Amino acid sequence: SDMLSGLALHIAYDGQWERGLKMLDKARNLNPLHPGWFWFPYSLNAYRQQHYDEALRYAKQINMPGFYWDHVFLAMIYGQLGNAQEAKKHTNQMLMLCPALAYDAENIIATIVLDPGLVKHCVEGLVKAGLKISTN
């Protein structure tokens, strides 16, 4: 299930969302005790469609508080939802775990998100969450 889910994640992030998520469904069925990172593509797919409540529901299932991507997702979603308190909390956590996001968020997000429009949408959510992107 781990190999299938890893491939599925890359296929989804490559823009083949339906195919990738179907593969992830299969991987989750093979391993009902799958790790939280299986939920990242589901959350990002809902986010890209601007279904922020659904994106949040998936993001909450990731539950990897020591991994900065968990907080990136939660911050950008809460930012889009206008929940300033939760957005700020996750922005602070994300910056503590990955300080480079303060000046290189777009390039860091582009390491997993291949669609430039979706990268900009993610950064927009982080800015709404209170991220102040410096150029230094």
Side-chain angles (χ1 to χ4, degrees), residues 20-134:
L21 295 179
K22 282 184 181 179
M23 290 171 68
L24 270 169
D25 290 341
K26 184 175 181 178
R28 285 183 23 248
N29 287 333
L30 288 170
N31 180 5
L33 301 175
H34 56 79
W37 64 263
F38 276 40
W39 294 105
F40 279 117
Y42 294 98
S43 181
L44 189 58
N45 182 52
Y47 182 88
R48 78 178 179 87
Q49 296 175 60
Q50 299 181 20
H51 300 154
Y52 303 123
D53 288 324
E54 181 181 0
L56 180 59
R57 187 169 33 88
Y58 288 130
K60 285 182 174 181
Q61 294 183 71
I62 296 166
N63 194 26
M64 298 174 69
F67 187 41
Y68 72 92
W69 281 109
D70 187 3
H71 298 287
V72 169
F73 274 57
L74 289 166
M76 69 187 193
I77 295 165
Y78 280 122
Q80 293 290 4
L81 288 170
N83 185 332
Q85 182 177 356
E86 287 296 317
K88 184 68 174 163
K89 177 176 92 174
H90 290 288
T91 299
N92 290 341
Q93 283 295 116
M94 136 190 124
L95 289 173
M96 187 173 54
L97 294 166
C98 183
L101 281 157
Y103 59 87
D104 206 19
E106 191 167 329
N107 286 324
I108 292 170
I109 291 169
T111 63
I112 64 163
V113 179
L114 303 179
D115 175 359
L118 183 51
V119 170
K120 295 229 182 281
H121 186 195
C122 292
V123 172
E124 172 190 286
L126 292 176
V127 169
K128 287 181 179 180
L131 179 65
K132 299 193 182 358
I133 299 174
S134 78

